[in-house]
Amino acid sequence: METHILGFPRIGARRELKRALESYWKGKSSELELQQTAAQLRKTHWQIQQSAGLSFVSTGDFSYYDQMLDMSAALGVIPERFGQAEEIDLATYFKLARGDAQANVPAMEMTKWFNTNYHYIVPEISPMTSPRLLSRKIIEETAEAVELGFTPKPVLIGPITYLELSKGRNGFNCWEKLPELVAVYTDLIKELSALCEWIQLDEPILCRELSAQAAANFTPVYARLNAAANSSKLLLTTYFDTLDDNLDLALNSGCGGLHLDLVRGNKQLESLLAKLPESMIFSAGIVEGRNIWKTDYTAALSRLRPLYAALGSERLWLGSSCSLLHAPVDLTNETDLDPEIRSWLAFAVQKCTEITDLATATTVNGDNPVIIKNREAITSRRKSTRVNNPEVQQRLGSITPEMLKRASPYPERKTAQSWLKLPLLPTTTIGSFPQTGEIRRNRLAYKKGEINTEEYTGFLKDEIKHVVTLQEELGLDVLVHGESERNDMVEYFGQQLSGFCFTANGWVQSYGSRCVKPPVIFGDISRPQAMTVEWIKYAQSVTDKPLKGMLTGPVTILCWSFVRDDITRKEVSSQIALAIRDEVQDLEKAGIHIIQIDEAALSEGMPVKQRDRTSYLEWAVESFRLATTGVADSTQIHTHMCYSEFNDIIESIADMDADVISIESSRSRMELLNCFKDFKYPNEIGPGVWDIHSPRVPSVDEIVELLEKACTYIPKERLWVNPDCGLKTRDWEETIASIKNMVEAAQIMRNK
Ligand code: GLN
Ligand code: ZN
């Protein structure tokens, strides 16, 4: 039985690629050194796959920045602003990804890869785009694997997914370039076919509703690609959801094989078996590529054995559900992790072995020692008192409808909140202030035990006092404590909640050299004690102005963690919501009457298929309400979101029923407010007037102009003045200058 993975993480177990990239960008190391690190990583990753016993090693999954950008480079889809390149050398490649500061050419756009936290570079296509084979990277890397003695299976992003995710310049219809693009694809496939038996074409887009053009072009395009493959075969890979309506399209693609994600789409095996053409192999994506839990072998085998009975070892392959890009690299490095919890986990390296373990076990009936050992680990996790907390489970069962709404509707709350005596167009910030080197140094020193708790607390209090006083001087109306005690808006809370644990090296790539280390939610979540109250209370004690308490919302904590897979995401989210609810109430008791609960990641949790989005939004909104509605009408609840594509979800956002929402909008010059033309947002709103992603200080005039625009959409009584997002990454000089301008602009508007 053939076994494989859809791709391996390229960043390296010790983030070697990140280090090499950043050092190269800083000019501290040469291109050659970077290329050597990359080659070494590829070789290591191929060795891992080979020694796990997989039939193939994945090639073309390595990337210096992003695999979608690699595809654009291969296809010659390069925006005109970068000139007419004859070939894509590394310097050009990085300009596409990161912009060319010297020539003042902005980078290509970046966005999230389906519903993961990985960001890809969006292809830009215009009438001028002239597709041609511009980068031979995938061919070279496949040849490199052959030379080293590996059996490669190169992976390409399929043309349908590529085009569906591309963006046409000024409304250009990208599909007009389809014939030329397909010609490049066939060139690529022809060359690759000389090096390998199988070529993997990723078409995750088939798990989403297709556009009419994609649906109409799929079959003819695949007929051409298959014809180009010569003696090798195409493996059509889909993942992240079920195929549903697109199953027939995939089955009739004429490809040599079809791969389905059996972890995230498990309802269609029977119809698949009935319809799978004789000429097609079926690859079962049985080992989850996006999580860190051990596969339950017993459950997996009960699904695989009937498949094996029907297809035999010739036509059944086993693989990872999707690329392992979204999983951390190697569990072996987690020596500090609690041994019990560790016994429940598998990272990318371990997942490779899981696939071959399962392949061995599928073909024989009965248990082998590996299966028995796995069952012990799975049972230990299921029964562990670390995982199960009866109190939490009971509390979850006793949520009443009253706990999901505020006591009174917004108009009454507005009256009840008038005691806060806020001026028209109140000014505020989103929570964090610059995380200076001094703050980071002190945090590190405390972590290393170089300074004691008292010293560290003293340092943070001084910092808080400093930012509060400064905000008073600058004339802001609603103040924040600055979040200097927080390293990260999710980790900070995870560390104080039970049910969470943390890895030392569990990094996954977010974009480019950027990695995140998501906390692990392994058990029922509860809050042993208040998490933020002391800091906020202290901040309030040094000012008479209202201080805004700052929390992270349940959906954001969920989306930015590795979540347990034994209960639903909705249940986990409710558990977090109950913990946050307690914190909100404790803040209120401590005299904090404005509380912001950030839901920066609400849109990231959105399911791949359009039709599943309503039910997701329902529980996501419910979680937010559960977290926030336990306060009096006179307490003001804020929320914050870091994006501006609201049109589709604005009603759900209104349903969250926060008194005030702040959103990102300055970059789009308030374009997002267009959606308020048709939909009258019922509560208060602060559209960002200052783009905090850039060091540029917005002028007073510019802010006034944005506010005037905002006033035409939102009644002035319900408008707030704030930046786009937190100021953590900015420096003090530009922060102070920008706040000054923002406060002055608000004053000008009030006078008007
Ligand atoms: N309160 C957080 C901050 O200011 C919000 C960050 C975010 O939205 N990503 O940093
Ligand atoms: Zn934000």
Side-chain angles (χ1 to χ4, degrees):
M1 189 182 300
E2 307 281 28
T3 50
H4 69 130
I5 56 169
L6 271 53
F8 197 84
R10 53 216 172 212
I11 205 75
R14 300 275 178 204
R15 287 182 294 160
E16 293 88 336
L17 183 58
K18 175 195 176 69
R19 298 218 172 85
L21 282 169
E22 290 173 359
S23 137
Y24 169 73
W25 291 336
K26 282 192 198 131
K28 287 190 186 152
S29 55
S30 69
E31 185 168 317
L32 185 67
E33 284 167 294
L34 175 60
Q35 283 166 337
Q36 281 167 344
T37 305
Q40 185 54 51
L41 281 170
R42 285 194 294 269
K43 189 171 164 193
T44 307
H45 298 159
W46 291 332
Q47 274 162 345
I48 289 168
Q49 294 168 64
Q50 190 185 49
S51 55
L54 295 171
S55 316
F56 308 98
V57 300
S58 197
T59 62
D61 54 348
F62 175 83
S63 178
Y64 285 103
Y65 204 94
D66 163 48
Q67 71 269 15
M68 197 64 165
L69 180 60
D70 293 0
M71 204 63 230
S72 293
L75 296 169
V77 177
I78 307 303
E80 286 102 64
R81 63 178 181 279
F82 294 97
Q84 279 289 354
E86 284 313 312
E87 64 166 328
I88 305 280
D89 55 15
L90 261 183
T92 314
Y93 177 84
F94 288 131
K95 279 178 191 164
L96 301 172
R98 311 173 71 227
D100 184 349
Q102 264 167 5
N104 201 17
V105 179
M108 291 173 73
E109 210 177 289
M110 187 166 75
T111 196
K112 267 168 18 84
W113 179 244
F114 294 86
N115 59 351
T116 69
N117 283 332
Y118 177 79
H119 300 71
Y120 69 92
I121 304 275
V122 183
E124 281 175 45
I125 303 186
S126 81
M128 307 285 287
T129 306
S130 59
R132 63 214 181 276
L133 188 55
L134 203 56
S135 154
R136 302 179 54 81
K137 174 180 167 291
I138 172 126
I139 301 163
E140 284 159 9
E141 284 175 13
T142 306
E144 177 184 311
V146 173
E147 239 163 73
L148 290 169
F150 298 104
T151 310
K153 172 174 55 72
V155 39
L156 300 172
I157 310 270
I160 305 299
T161 297
Y162 183 81
L163 272 171
E164 284 279 75
L165 299 182
S166 294
K167 215 171 146 180
R169 271 294 291 280
N170 305 324
F172 177 71
N173 176 6
C174 301
W175 290 90
E176 285 183 27
K177 294 286 175 189
L178 177 72
E180 290 163 75
L181 285 171
V182 171
V184 188
Y185 268 101
T186 53
D187 289 349
L188 254 178
I189 288 173
K190 268 183 209 149
E191 287 211 41
L192 286 171
S193 70
L195 296 167
C196 59
E197 194 190 342
W198 285 90
I199 301 168
Q200 173 183 329
L201 277 134
D202 279 4
E203 291 285 13
I205 205 77
L206 289 175
C207 296
R208 209 168 85 177
E209 291 86 349
L210 290 180
S211 72
Q213 278 154 316
N217 284 303
F218 186 85
T219 309
V221 165
Y222 269 84
R224 289 199 51 198
L225 300 187
N226 278 301
N230 297 322
S231 60
S232 50
K233 292 183 195 140
L234 302 188
L235 175 66
L236 179 66
T237 41
T238 67
Y239 42 84
F240 297 157
D241 214 319
T242 51
L243 278 178
D244 286 354
D245 303 344
N246 297 324
L247 179 62
D248 286 339
L249 218 47
L251 285 170
N252 299 324
S253 63
C255 291
L258 172 64
H259 173 91
L260 297 191
D261 179 337
L262 295 193
V263 178
R264 280 163 198 258
N266 47 19
K267 285 164 282 183
Q268 54 195 152
L269 275 184
E270 270 171 39
S271 53
L272 174 109
L273 280 184
K275 291 195 260 182
L276 190 74
E278 280 292 331
S279 58
M280 226 179 198
I281 65 95
F282 172 61
S283 162
I286 194 78
V287 169
E288 167 71 304
R290 289 177 59 172
N291 215 329
I292 47 158
W293 306 108
K294 258 188 188 157
T295 304
D296 179 344
Y297 284 0
T298 311
L301 286 171
S302 71
R303 299 176 71 195
L304 294 175
R305 283 185 177 142
L307 285 172
Y308 177 66
L311 298 170
S313 46
E314 291 291 301
R315 286 176 70 212
L316 178 64
W317 288 24
L318 295 195
S320 56
S321 64
C322 58
S323 167
L324 303 181
L325 173 67
H326 313 287
V329 180
D330 192 357
L331 185 66
T332 333
N333 298 330
E334 297 303 323
T335 43
D336 292 343
L337 209 58
D338 175 285
E340 190 187 4
I341 295 176
R342 211 183 109 126
S343 76
W344 304 335
L345 305 181
F347 291 1
V349 171
Q350 290 70 37
K351 284 169 192 285
C352 292
T353 306
E354 288 198 333
I355 296 168
T356 47
D357 278 353
L358 282 168
T360 310
T362 300
T363 55
V364 281
N365 278 318
D367 293 338
N368 64 33
V370 173
I371 306 298
I372 294 166
K373 190 152 175 257
N374 170 274
R375 190 174 303 140
E376 280 164 12
I378 301 291
T379 314
S380 121
R381 183 177 156 210
R382 199 172 295 141
K383 296 211 175 124
S384 172
T385 49
R386 289 208 159 112
V387 171
N388 299 294
N389 179 341
E391 257 170 67
V392 174
Q393 290 165 9
Q394 200 179 14
R395 202 171 163 208
L396 215 58
S398 57
I399 298 169
T400 59
E402 286 69 46
M403 288 167 75
L404 299 173
K405 57 178 209 276
R406 296 286 293 270
S408 313
Y410 167 76
E412 284 167 44
R413 302 201 303 264
K414 171 107 180 151
T415 315
Q417 288 160 22
S418 61
W419 73 276
L420 291 167
K421 296 211 176 18
L422 298 173
L424 191 64
L425 305 181
T427 52
T428 191
T429 61
I430 307 302
S432 57
F433 271 98
Q435 288 254 336
T436 56
E438 201 193 358
I439 295 176
R440 284 176 217 280
R441 271 195 299 282
N442 274 277
R443 185 181 300 139
L444 193 66
Y446 179 53
K447 211 174 140 185
K448 285 188 180 159
E450 290 163 13
I451 56 173
N452 62 30
T453 308
E454 206 179 310
E455 286 166 314
Y456 184 54
T457 310
F459 165 77
L460 288 174
K461 282 193 166 171
D462 288 348
E463 185 65 31
I464 290 173
K465 190 169 175 179
H466 167 73
V467 297
V468 171
T469 319
L470 189 77
Q471 291 171 81
E472 266 187 336
E473 284 165 13
L474 288 166
L476 286 161
D477 301 306
V478 173
L479 314 190
V480 297
H481 78 295
E483 301 181 23
S484 52
E485 81 286 14
R486 303 182 190 175
N487 38 352
D488 173 282
M489 65 188 284
V490 171
E491 194 175 72
Y492 180 76
F493 291 94
Q495 274 164 346
Q496 302 187 69
L497 292 166
S498 8
F500 281 79
C501 71
F502 297 84
T503 63
N505 292 293
W507 297 97
V508 286
Q509 198 175 356
S510 170
Y511 64 88
S513 67
R514 230 350 252 238
C515 301
V516 293
K517 190 156 66 67
V520 177
I521 302 180
F522 65 87
D524 289 334
I525 293 162
S526 60
R527 188 196 67 142
Q529 60 202 32
M531 302 181 281
T532 63
V533 174
E534 284 312 310
W535 300 119
I536 315 274
K537 221 165 72 179
Y538 174 72
Q540 182 68 85
S541 76
V542 299
T543 180
D544 294 330
K545 289 214 172 170
L547 199 113
K548 178 164 70 168
M550 201 56 60
L551 303 171
T552 302
V555 181
T556 301
I557 294 181
L558 183 87
C559 286
W560 289 348
S561 301
F562 281 122
V563 186
R564 59 193 284 200
D565 56 356
D566 54 337
I567 62 174
T568 62
R569 288 173 79 80
K570 176 181 165 173
E571 282 170 286
V572 179
S573 184
S574 302
Q575 292 185 359
I576 308 171
L578 285 170
I580 302 289
R581 183 180 176 93
D582 294 344
E583 186 74 11
V584 169
Q585 289 177 328
D586 281 350
L587 281 170
E588 188 186 44
K589 270 186 228 143
I592 305 301
H593 298 283
I594 302 185
I595 303 166
Q596 176 174 313
I597 299 92
D598 291 327
E599 280 295 21
L602 191 90
S603 78
E604 285 180 26
M606 209 80 95
V608 171
K609 283 198 208 311
Q610 205 79 39
R611 60 168 167 252
D612 298 330
R613 296 192 174 170
T614 319
S615 59
Y616 161 75
L617 283 168
E618 255 166 41
W619 66 252
V621 168
E622 192 178 295
S623 283
F624 181 83
R625 294 171 71 128
L626 182 58
T628 54
T629 54
V631 290
D633 286 349
S634 53
T635 293
Q636 190 173 66
I637 296 290
H638 289 223
T639 189
H640 164 71
M641 282 166 202
C642 312
Y643 43 86
S644 51
E645 267 133 41
F646 274 133
N647 289 316
D648 300 344
I649 57 166
I650 185 69
E651 290 179 39
S652 301
I653 288 176
D655 255 2
M656 291 164 71
D657 201 24
D659 296 301
V660 184
I661 179 173
S662 58
I663 49 184
E664 180 173 319
S665 62
S666 75
R667 253 198 294 192
S668 60
R669 306 211 47 83
M670 299 271 162
E671 242 170 60
L672 95 122
L673 294 173
N674 282 334
C675 73
F676 297 113
K677 256 191 208 147
D678 307 320
F679 180 81
K680 295 286 164 242
Y681 186 76
N683 305 357
E684 290 162 54
I685 186 161
V689 292
W690 151 27
D691 175 11
I692 60 90
H693 301 285
S694 122
R696 205 176 62 87
V697 175
S699 69
V700 176
D701 290 349
E702 192 181 325
I703 301 176
V704 166
E705 195 187 309
L706 288 176
L707 287 172
E708 270 173 347
K709 207 161 168 186
C711 278
T712 63
Y713 293 92
I714 297 158
K716 59 184 186 305
E717 296 73 21
R718 290 201 256 122
L719 191 61
W720 283 64
V721 181
N722 49 257
D724 269 347
C725 193
L727 306 170
K728 193 161 40 192
T729 56
R730 299 274 55 97
D731 72 31
W732 270 112
E733 205 182 310
E734 65 208 55
T735 297
I736 291 173
S738 303
I739 293 180
K740 263 192 195 142
N741 290 355
M742 196 177 84
V743 170
E744 194 181 326
Q747 194 52 52
I748 292 174
M749 290 296 289
R750 284 175 203 142
N751 295 345
K752 279 193 188 175

